[in-house]
Amino acid sequence: MSVLWQAAGAEWAKLWSVRSTWWCLASATALMVLSAVTVGGAAATDALREGRATGTAPGGGGQAAGVPGGGGADIVASEPVVSATSFAQFALVALAMLVITSEYASGAIRVTLLATPVRGVVLAAKALVVAPVMAVAGVLSGAVATAAVYLLLSIDVFGGLVALPAGEVALDLLGIGVFFALVSVMTLGVGTAMRSAAGTLTVVFMLLMGLPLMLLMTGSQVAVDVSLRMPLFAGLAFMGSTENMTGGPIPYSAVEGLAWLLGWTAAAVAAGHAVLRRRDA
C-alpha cells in the first residue's frame, strides 16, 4: 500500500507541475458556464413563450404572462448545468488523456515504470489522482455555472423563473462530480490502451458522443436502446437530466445509469491494464 501512495504522490506532483492542467480546468469551467446559461436561457424562453400562449405565467400561478415572478419559479438553477456536462466533459477528458498519453509521447513512461515496476500500481496511482481532482473540478465548475444560471434567469426579461433549492442543487453538483470522475478514469483506461493522444481522443469522443448520436439517428429501437446505455446517456440518467439530446428524461433509473457508467469505466481500465502489462513502454 505504501508503494501505491508513493506512486500517487508522484502522479499528483506531475499533474500540477504542467500548465495544461490549469488550462483544461479553466476551459472546463468556461464551457460549463457558457453551455449552462445557454441551456437555461433557452428553457426560460420556452417557458415564457408557453405562458404567453396559454395566457398565464409559466409557473402556473394564474397571473398574466410576462409578469415577473407571477407564476413562481419553475427552473432549478442546477438543471441546465447537468445538461451542460455533455459539452464541458471534453475539457476534462483532454486533461485525463494527457495524464497518460503525454508520458508516452515524451518517453517519461519509462522513468515512471522504472520507479514503479508493478504496472497495475502505476495505473491505480494515476486513477487515484485523476478521480478526486475531476470530481472536485466538476463540483466547483458546476457551482459556478449554477450561480451564473441563477443570476441570468433572475432578471426581469426571463421573468425570474428560477429557484435555488439547496438540497436539489447539492445532489446535482455531487452527481456532476461523480460523472466527471468516472468519465475521466474511463479516459485514462482508454489512453493507457491506445497510448496516443489522437487515438484516445477519437475513441473517447466516439464512445461519449459520436456513436450514441449515430445510433439515435437510425431510429431503430434496438440501436436507440444501445445508445441510451452508452457512457454519456448513462451518466445523464444517473444525474437525472430532463433536458438533453434525447429530448427528455432517460427512460431508466439513476441507479441503473450509475451501474452502466461504472461498467464502461471498469471495462476501459481493464483494457488499459491488459495492454500496459503486455506491451513494452
Side-chain angles (χ1 to χ4, degrees):
M1 186 61 71
S2 61
V3 174
L4 176 60
W5 290 116
Q6 289 172 2
E11 295 299 332
W12 178 270
K14 285 188 284 186
L15 180 68
W16 298 109
S17 65
V18 293
R19 284 177 291 183
S20 58
T21 298
W22 300 101
W23 279 112
C24 288
L25 293 174
S27 298
T29 302
L31 278 171
M32 186 77 94
V33 171
L34 290 173
S35 301
V37 296
T38 301
V39 173
T45 300
D46 289 343
L48 285 170
R49 186 180 298 118
E50 181 181 341
R52 293 191 185 100
T54 59
T56 60
Q63 297 187 21
V67 178
D74 57 350
I75 297 176
V76 176
S78 56
E79 286 180 357
V81 181
V82 170
S83 300
T85 58
S86 301
F87 307 100
Q89 65 180 332
F90 289 106
L92 298 183
V93 161
L95 177 55
M97 172 190 72
L98 290 173
V99 168
I100 183 67
T101 59
S102 63
E103 292 202 38
Y104 279 108
S106 65
I109 189 66
R110 298 185 182 90
V111 177
T112 298
L113 294 178
L114 282 174
T116 311
V118 182
R119 300 188 176 195
V121 172
V122 171
L123 186 56
K126 290 182 181 294
L128 278 176
V129 170
V130 164
V133 168
M134 301 308 185
V136 172
V139 171
L140 294 181
S141 62
V144 173
T146 299
V149 170
Y150 183 78
L151 291 174
L152 175 68
L153 300 190
S154 294
I155 64 178
D156 288 346
V157 70
F158 289 113
L161 304 175
V162 65
L164 199 65
E168 189 169 344
V169 170
L171 285 175
D172 283 342
L173 294 180
L174 180 60
I176 290 169
V178 172
F179 173 68
F180 279 164
L182 291 176
V183 166
S184 297
V185 173
M186 183 186 75
T187 301
L188 176 66
V190 173
T192 306
M194 300 300 298
R195 299 188 168 202
S196 72
T200 300
L201 194 57
T202 300
V203 170
V204 173
F205 175 80
M206 290 303 295
L207 283 174
L208 290 175
M209 189 76 76
L211 190 54
L213 291 183
M214 287 190 290
L215 290 171
L216 277 180
M217 288 187 292
T218 64
S220 165
Q221 188 58 50
V222 174
V224 170
D225 287 343
V226 171
S227 173
L228 293 178
R229 270 82 183 169
M230 296 192 74
L232 174 58
F233 292 138
L236 290 173
F238 165 64
M239 293 183 286
S241 172
T242 56
E243 294 291 336
N244 52 70
M245 291 174 286
T246 66
I250 309 297
Y252 54 84
S253 69
V255 173
E256 183 178 347
L258 179 59
W260 281 108
L261 187 56
L262 285 169
W264 283 102
T265 302
V269 171
H273 182 238
V275 172
L276 188 62
R277 286 186 59 190
R278 296 177 184 178
R279 292 180 59 183
D280 292 334

